Amino acid sequence: MLVLGPVGFAAPWMLLGLLALPILWFLLRAVPPAPLRRRFPGVALLLGLTDEEVETDRTPWWLLVLRMLAIAALILAFAGPVLNPRTERGGTGPLVVLLDASWASAHDWSLRMGRVSEALDEAAADDRTVAIVAATDLPTGGLEFRAPNEWRPRLAGFAPQPFAPDMEATFAALSEMDVAFDSLWLSDGLEREGREAILDLLTQKGSVTVFENQRPIFALGPATVSATGVNVPVLRRDGAGTDRVSVVARGPDPAGVERILARLDVDFAAGETQTSAAFDLPPELRNRVTRFEVDGHRSAAAVRLTDDSLKRREVGLVTVRESREGLELLSQLHYIRTALSDKADVISGGLEDLIAANPDVIVLADIARLSGGETADLLDWMNEGGLLLRFAGPRLAASDVSREDEDPLMPVRLRAGGRTIGGAMSWGEPKTLRPFAETSPFYGLDVPDDVSVSAQVMAQPDPDLAARVIATLADGTPLVTRKSVGAGQVVLFHVTANAEWSTLPLSGLFVSMLDRLSAATGGVALDETDLAGQALQPISILDGFGALRDARNRAPVEGDVFATAVASAQTPAGLYQSTQASLALNVVTPETRLEAASWPAGTVVVGVSEATEQSLKPSLLLAALALLAADLFASLLLSGRLLGPRAAASLLALVLAMPAPDAQAQDTDEAFALAATEEVALAYVMTGDETVDRLSRAGLFGVSQVLTQRTSVEPAEPVGVNLETDDLGFFPLLYWPVTVDQPLPSAEAYTRLNAYLRTGGTILFDTRDGDVARFGAATPTGNKLQSLASALDIPPLEPIPADHVLTRTFYLLQDFPGRYTGGDLWVEAAPADAQGVEGMPFRNLNDNVTPVIIGGNDWAAAWAMDETGRPLRPLARGFGGERQREIAYRFGVNLVMYILTGNYKSDQVHVPALLDRLGQ
């Protein structure tokens, strides 16, 4: 290829034709020949006459230029011009494609996969083998070179991960390869330790090309609670220019539906790499936030999961009238308020008002008796998850509360009188605390030596006392007891909340104990000491794109490991549950900085800013055609043929040749009917959602391709139908994806739909929700399906039985997966008198085909493929995903064959073959 500046020519020898343009110039100047001049007196008799046709004695110069340009355009077009020709980077040896595949690659993942696909095309053209490796998901058996075509089906299995690449392990894996190879490194654009060592290793093996996108990368740092709301740090990689992003807070509304609770636009100044989004959120709204995210940026770091540490607790201190309240009670509330004020919103008031405010904790300090109504209200509040925290004192010790029978608002029965130094049940000296047991919520807290107890209320030695004790004195006497009440609990400190009975309220241990107790009600950040000895169960984890996935089947993580963990393959970012609270592990830590990757001089770095290769041949051919048309017009104008009767007749003929609008509409309808009836065509309902409609078409296209390859059915291109205008009778199968926003059909459309169902048509309703609620109920698309189907004439349905013909029409199937697996498939119920016959593997059913099939496994996503046969949507990883897609294709084949042939496979002639395949 000859490259001249930004333009290259695939056939540069054609440019030699430009040398002939001067010759053509002189030839065109000579036609027509110049007339001979002769003097003739009789010419005077011709004066005043005009010729019907006029010819110039010489071709105008501007017309010659026009013709030269047209010829030049044709010559350049056939020379194969290419704008921004790609520099050849081909080779002859193996090629390694290295993907960082971290969360920073998620925002342009499809672009990166497109570049990998291009690399496979180039390798296939050069007959090279390829090894593709993701630094976040290294293969266990080492790197393996394969033919490019073997990698194409595996591309869908690569995905960005919610953690940084393991550079050390990647270096070790590449070091084990003892052959020379070239490398294409798709970098995530962030500076990471160990990157230089890998680059040096790859350079020693062969040439290295780095692909990197300069698009800004955004991330959210640790959220902190302020006096007015929540501050969320916003980080970006590129600090060159100004920028603006929107940060949103998501969480459930009062009805439990997740939505955006708040939105805040933040601006980056030139050169600034970090700013902050300061949300002004009241406690009620802040406690509902489940995550913050950068709107429009898909990555795990652009999402900040919240946990109980963000929820600032609300603690209610019960006060009474001064006539019922002693100075000791006021003093106790003062100690409690001081201990909790830094980490909780402390409110005070009457018990009735506090219960109405629904705080996380209600504190009763030396309040012995409550009315029956107050007791009932407190029990209801605790059953919903509230924590009742009680402290002893002179009033409780002198009362008979929970003496004979256990009070419902007390964790244990109490002895009368209490225990003091010098009393009936005296101590010789104040008692210290015993270290907390592993089963105690206080486990791991250090017990100061100067904390001692001089008086307390004593617990009765009941059989269940040991299970309710969570703190004891050195001699084993219960100090703190606890009992579960519904979803909540009641806790009793057997000492006062002031320094009258012990020195505990004067120590930092008192604050830590209160924090631990209220951890389950929200707002407590647990450190390594708090988590020691615990096992945290993953609840949901983030994928590389920032979407939450269920993780309850993953193994628990040890508490001491979690306390110092960063997001990795062993401890992925997500939500974890401890015995005390829900904890979030996020991608970004307080030490995270988004620094752009720096590459040594001489490294070939390309990106999306690289100009795209574009052929100029079509444009030049169009230009030549336009110039020739202009030449024709100018020639006719100069000869006078654009005026007069001939021109009028030509114009009239052109007008008559134009088809009438009605004829066009009629032709369009006929073309639609012919396209639908010439060959078998599968159809889908156009929902108005372009993304869903494109996926539906790609899914039916994929099934059609599989049918063509494996059966005698060769469907035509899938057809999208408009229920309001199109005739449905041409299509045996109508795939109807259910979306929440699609409008209900009109009465006329429902009339056509019912006629379609009654005359042999079949509709496959797909709620695309995995049928998580069984038959689509209680999901948005399930509710929408009920609305859509309410006016349809649908027979009684049942989950597909094991002997239904659909399970054996072409393949023997027992499940029907799509993008989801396990959902029920509903078909027309079998007749009540359909009975099995001995020796037959299935019942003798009628010959009708079910008019309606309902499920939610999102089959179009599993079937979808592009024009080259590559799947468009990933399923599960590895062999499991390939197997799931294969079974989905088999279901599609069975479905179409069942609709076209009915209960053909119920005929007894097939029984021997089916029994043989079933192993019976």
Side-chain angles (χ1 to χ4, degrees):
M1 176 179 287
L2 175 64
V3 179
L4 300 175
V7 180
F9 294 93
W13 57 270
M14 287 292 298
L15 298 178
L16 296 176
L18 296 176
L19 300 177
L21 290 180
I23 300 175
L24 291 175
W25 172 275
F26 289 109
L27 290 177
L28 292 175
R29 289 287 292 177
V31 178
L36 298 175
R37 296 181 180 273
R38 296 288 187 269
R39 293 183 180 274
F40 181 60
V43 174
L45 299 175
L46 303 177
L47 295 177
L49 300 177
T50 59
D51 292 335
E52 293 182 0
E53 296 182 2
V54 179
E55 291 186 6
T56 60
D57 60 346
R58 184 178 296 275
T59 303
W61 68 267
W62 53 269
L63 188 57
L64 287 177
V65 172
L66 197 65
R67 293 172 178 174
M68 291 296 100
L69 291 176
I71 296 173
L74 287 173
I75 294 174
L76 292 174
F78 287 109
V82 177
L83 181 63
N84 303 314
R86 178 178 297 171
T87 303
E88 295 295 335
R89 293 188 289 268
T92 57
L95 174 67
V96 170
V97 179
L98 175 60
L99 305 170
D100 277 353
S102 71
W103 58 264
S105 304
H107 66 294
D108 58 354
W109 186 251
S110 59
L111 178 66
R112 295 172 182 273
M113 287 294 97
R115 182 64 190 93
V116 174
S117 180
E118 291 178 7
L120 293 178
D121 292 338
E122 296 171 0
D126 296 334
D127 196 21
R128 311 176 70 182
T129 56
V130 180
I132 303 178
V133 57
T136 52
D137 189 12
L138 296 171
T140 55
L143 306 187
E144 185 177 359
F145 287 101
R146 299 173 178 268
N149 290 335
E150 295 185 35
W151 282 108
R152 296 191 187 279
R154 302 169 181 262
L155 291 184
F158 288 93
Q161 300 298 322
F163 46 83
D166 190 340
M167 292 299 181
E168 183 177 349
T170 303
F171 179 85
L174 293 172
S175 300
E176 295 176 356
M177 305 179 70
D178 55 359
V179 296
F181 54 82
D182 295 335
S183 304
L184 173 62
W185 190 348
L186 281 79
S187 167
D188 61 8
L190 296 180
E191 185 67 27
R192 302 190 187 280
E193 186 178 355
R195 191 182 292 275
E196 292 184 2
I198 294 178
L199 181 61
D200 292 340
L201 176 62
L202 296 179
T203 304
Q204 296 173 11
K205 296 289 186 179
S207 64
V208 181
T209 300
V210 176
F211 177 88
E212 191 173 271
N213 190 358
Q214 296 303 317
R215 177 181 176 182
I217 300 174
F218 296 96
L220 297 180
T224 57
V225 178
S226 64
T228 59
V230 181
N231 292 328
V232 183
V234 186
L235 294 75
R236 71 167 175 171
R237 177 189 62 175
D238 184 10
T242 59
D243 212 337
R244 166 173 286 194
V245 296
S246 293
V247 181
V248 298
R250 292 186 178 272
D253 61 11
V257 179
E258 184 177 280
R259 61 179 68 251
I260 295 177
L261 303 178
R263 178 186 295 272
L264 189 64
D265 292 336
V266 295
D267 296 310
F268 284 92
E272 191 176 22
T273 59
Q274 181 172 339
T275 185
S276 180
F279 286 90
D280 186 4
L281 298 174
E284 296 80 5
L285 193 61
R286 182 183 68 233
N287 290 342
R288 292 212 304 266
V289 175
T290 58
R291 71 181 185 272
F292 297 94
E293 60 185 40
V294 181
D295 195 21
H297 293 267
R298 297 176 59 209
S299 81
V303 173
R304 191 76 196 180
L305 299 176
T306 65
D307 55 18
D308 290 342
S309 63
L310 185 66
K311 298 178 176 64
R312 188 174 175 90
R313 296 160 296 152
E314 191 172 48
V315 179
L317 305 183
V318 178
T319 59
V320 294
R321 292 185 180 90
E322 186 176 353
S323 59
R324 295 177 52 199
E325 184 178 34
L327 295 178
E328 298 85 0
L329 181 58
L330 291 176
S331 178
Q332 291 197 50
L333 294 182
H334 170 72
Y335 277 83
I336 298 170
R337 183 180 291 108
T338 302
L340 294 174
S341 59
D342 290 340
K343 297 184 178 180
D345 296 324
V346 181
I347 58 177
S348 302
L351 181 57
E352 182 179 357
D353 296 333
L354 291 180
I355 294 177
N358 193 28
D360 299 300
V361 183
I362 291 180
V363 179
L364 298 178
D366 195 21
I367 297 179
R369 291 191 176 277
L370 297 173
S371 66
E374 290 175 329
T375 299
D377 291 341
L378 270 177
L379 287 174
D380 291 340
W381 172 77
M382 283 192 291
N383 284 325
E384 296 297 325
L387 169 64
L388 177 62
L389 182 58
R390 305 195 67 167
F391 287 88
R395 293 177 181 274
L396 183 61
S399 72
D400 59 355
V401 173
S402 200
R403 291 290 190 264
E404 299 298 329
D405 298 320
E406 183 179 295
D407 190 278
L409 299 182
M410 294 290 286
V412 293
R413 292 192 306 125
L414 301 178
R415 293 182 181 180
R419 185 180 187 186
T420 61
I421 295 177
M425 302 177 65
S426 63
W427 290 321
E429 59 183 9
K431 296 295 182 180
T432 58
L433 276 63
R434 177 181 291 179
F436 301 112
E438 293 184 3
T439 57
S440 170
F442 309 135
Y443 176 72
L445 296 179
D446 293 329
V447 178
D449 296 334
D450 57 351
V451 173
S452 61
V453 175
S454 57
Q456 67 169 147
V457 292
M458 298 288 293
Q460 292 279 14
D462 291 332
D464 54 358
L465 175 62
R468 298 182 181 182
V469 175
I470 57 177
T472 63
L473 299 179
D475 61 358
T477 305
L479 176 65
V480 184
T481 53
R482 178 178 64 177
K483 179 181 72 173
S484 296
V485 180
Q489 54 187 331
V490 55
V491 177
L492 172 65
F493 276 74
H494 291 236
V495 294
T496 60
N498 59 11
E500 184 177 356
W501 285 12
S502 73
T503 59
L504 177 62
L506 300 177
S507 68
L509 177 62
F510 183 67
V511 179
S512 299
M513 293 175 72
L514 296 184
D515 286 342
R516 288 288 187 91
L517 284 174
S518 56
T521 65
V524 176
L526 305 180
D527 56 20
E528 185 174 0
T529 303
D530 300 327
L531 296 175
Q534 298 191 37
L536 282 76
Q537 176 62 47
I539 303 301
S540 56
I541 60 175
L542 285 172
D543 63 15
F545 297 104
L548 279 174
R549 308 294 183 193
D550 184 76
R552 299 178 191 273
N553 58 344
R554 295 179 64 95
V557 178
E558 294 297 328
D560 52 351
V561 174
F562 182 88
T564 58
V566 295
S568 64
Q570 292 73 32
T571 54
L575 290 174
Y576 294 76
Q577 184 66 48
S578 72
T579 57
Q580 299 165 289
S582 173
L583 301 176
L585 179 61
N586 287 285
V587 173
V588 178
T589 66
E591 294 77 23
T592 299
R593 298 293 182 269
L594 303 185
E595 299 179 2
S598 58
W599 302 96
T603 305
V604 179
V605 181
V606 299
V608 293
S609 59
E610 183 183 30
T612 305
E613 184 177 274
Q614 181 180 358
S615 175
L616 297 179
K617 183 175 182 178
S619 301
L620 288 173
L621 289 176
L622 288 176
L625 183 61
L627 290 171
L628 291 175
D631 174 76
L632 177 61
F633 179 82
S635 298
L636 293 176
L637 180 65
L638 292 176
S639 63
R641 296 178 183 177
L642 286 182
L643 304 175
R646 292 185 180 179
S650 300
L651 181 61
L652 179 61
L654 180 63
V655 172
L656 293 177
M658 296 179 62
D662 292 340
Q664 285 184 343
Q666 184 177 0
D667 291 343
T668 301
D669 294 338
E670 292 179 357
F672 178 84
L674 289 174
T677 55
E678 284 182 347
E679 297 179 273
V680 175
L682 308 180
Y684 62 94
V685 174
M686 292 188 293
T687 63
D689 187 326
E690 294 183 1
T691 301
V692 174
D693 292 345
R694 286 196 300 268
L695 188 62
S696 298
R697 185 192 180 283
L700 295 184
F701 174 80
V703 172
S704 300
Q705 294 300 304
V706 174
L707 283 165
T708 301
Q709 296 167 6
R710 305 183 184 183
T711 71
S712 60
V713 180
E714 298 181 3
E717 290 285 328
V719 179
V721 297
N722 187 330
L723 297 178
E724 303 295 335
T725 59
D726 294 335
D727 192 343
L728 306 179
F730 304 127
F731 310 102
L733 172 65
L734 191 62
Y735 176 73
W736 193 333
V738 180
T739 62
V740 176
D741 299 325
Q742 65 185 106
L744 293 177
S746 63
E748 293 77 12
Y750 272 120
T751 300
R752 285 194 294 271
L753 283 167
N754 283 323
Y756 173 74
L757 294 176
R758 292 165 186 155
T759 54
T762 298
I763 299 178
L764 173 60
F765 286 100
D766 192 351
T767 57
R768 305 178 301 111
D769 57 3
D771 198 16
V772 294
R774 306 279 296 179
F775 203 6
T779 65
T781 52
N783 295 332
K784 187 66 176 185
L785 172 61
Q786 295 179 6
S787 301
L788 292 172
S790 60
L792 294 178
D793 186 12
I794 298 178
L797 304 178
E798 67 177 357
I800 185 169
D803 62 343
H804 196 275
V805 182
L806 188 55
T807 64
R808 60 182 183 277
T809 313
F810 195 86
Y811 292 102
L812 294 179
L813 299 176
Q814 288 302 323
D815 53 5
F816 313 93
R819 185 162 67 97
Y820 302 103
T821 60
D824 287 339
L825 188 70
W826 291 77
V827 296
E828 182 180 4
D833 58 350
Q835 300 294 331
V837 178
E838 184 177 357
M840 290 281 290
F842 42 77
R843 293 171 293 174
N844 185 18
L845 304 175
N846 58 58
D847 288 334
N848 291 331
V849 174
T850 175
V852 171
I853 302 174
I854 298 177
N857 283 343
D858 197 2
W859 290 287
W863 295 337
M865 65 172 61
D866 61 16
E867 300 295 331
T868 63
R870 291 183 295 180
L872 294 182
R873 294 294 177 90
L875 299 183
R877 295 292 302 275
F879 176 77
E882 296 175 2
R883 179 63 179 171
Q884 180 176 336
R885 194 183 305 279
E886 172 60 23
I887 299 300
Y889 282 139
R890 293 185 180 186
F891 166 61
V893 171
N894 274 23
L895 176 64
V896 175
M897 299 299 289
Y898 165 68
I899 292 171
L900 295 179
T901 64
N903 285 348
Y904 168 70
K905 279 296 180 73
S906 284
D907 294 344
Q908 294 188 14
V909 68
H910 300 289
V911 170
L914 288 174
L915 287 175
D916 181 64
R917 293 183 63 190
L918 290 170
Q920 300 181 11

